[in-house]
Structure formats: C-alpha cells, structure tokens
Amino acid sequence: MKTSALLLALPISILANFSLRASADSTASIVLSTKCQGGYNINIWRNYTSGELLYRATNPNGNLSLGKGTTKATEGVRVYKFRNGIYEYWVWDGTLDNPQSGTLEVYKKNRILMKQACRKS
C-alpha cells in the first residue's frame, strides 16, 4: 500500500500545481465530505446555478481541485467521477454494507493506482 501511495503522491502533487481551480464557495453546496486513509480529505460540491460537480481533495502531498464531474448510481451506490488528463478520480458514496463508508479510487489510463477506504465526515 505504501508503494501505491508513493506512486500517487507525485502525480497528485504535479496535478495540484497545474490544475485549473474550480470554484466552490457561496455559489455551491457540499454534496459529500469524506476522510480517507492516507490523510485524504475529499469534498464534492454542486454549483447552484450550473449544477456542475466540483472535486476538492487535500492530503499530505498537496491539494487537488477539479470540475466537470459526473455522477451515477452503480450497484445501488452513488459514484462521483472526475478526470484530469490521464487520471480519473472516483469517489464512492457509501457501500452496500455501510452507507457511512466509501472508497476513493484513482486510475491512470484505466488502470487502478490507488484504492483507499473512506468514512463520511
């Protein structure tokens, strides 16, 4: 697990510095807030006017802000998906067994780089 976290640290740090900031302020409401293993804090926001989904992640390696997310119910659980270049970030809102838990998954070119357990905060 430490190897996958290390492999993810560099891309997140690089992406955090070069990604465009999506705005989440008084024009958006929080949809989901989670705390994940490895120090990842994830917030999903929805813009009041446009309905755009926004992704905010903070972790020991830096921050990442993305927009233009999608959502759908998969196997009875809602999943939020965001793309940044060749990386995809999936945030699962609950599990079938426990609606208060969830998962953060990070993919690079459709191959999973990291999977972290999360709890709603």
Side-chain angles (χ1 to χ4, degrees):
M1 192 55 101
K2 286 184 179 182
T3 303
S4 64
L6 181 60
L7 290 173
L8 183 63
L10 182 59
I12 284 181
S13 296
I14 291 169
L15 291 174
N17 289 326
F18 295 106
S19 65
L20 295 175
R21 296 278 182 227
S23 61
D25 51 29
S26 62
T27 63
S29 63
I30 193 148
V31 175
L32 177 65
S33 181
T34 64
K35 294 187 182 296
C36 305
Q37 292 175 339
Y40 294 90
N41 296 310
I42 311 294
N43 290 314
I44 308 292
W45 298 80
R46 182 178 306 275
N47 182 287
Y48 289 125
T49 306
S50 67
E52 177 184 12
L53 289 171
L54 311 168
Y55 173 97
R56 299 286 180 282
T58 60
N59 70 72
N61 302 309
N63 302 326
L64 180 61
S65 214
L66 302 171
K68 299 182 182 177
T70 62
T71 184
K72 72 177 194 172
T74 303
E75 299 176 10
V77 177
R78 184 149 304 277
V79 62
Y80 298 91
K81 298 180 182 182
F82 298 85
R83 179 179 291 278
N84 191 355
I86 59 174
Y87 295 93
E88 282 190 38
Y89 300 83
W90 293 19
V91 181
W92 293 84
D93 184 0
T95 66
L96 292 176
D97 296 332
N98 186 349
Q100 289 303 309
S101 64
T103 307
L104 166 64
E105 297 176 345
V106 180
Y107 295 86
K108 179 181 179 183
K109 295 183 180 179
N110 297 321
R111 295 189 63 193
I112 193 160
L113 287 178
M114 183 185 78
K115 184 175 185 177
Q116 299 285 359
C118 305
R119 302 257 329 130
K120 289 184 183 179
S121 51

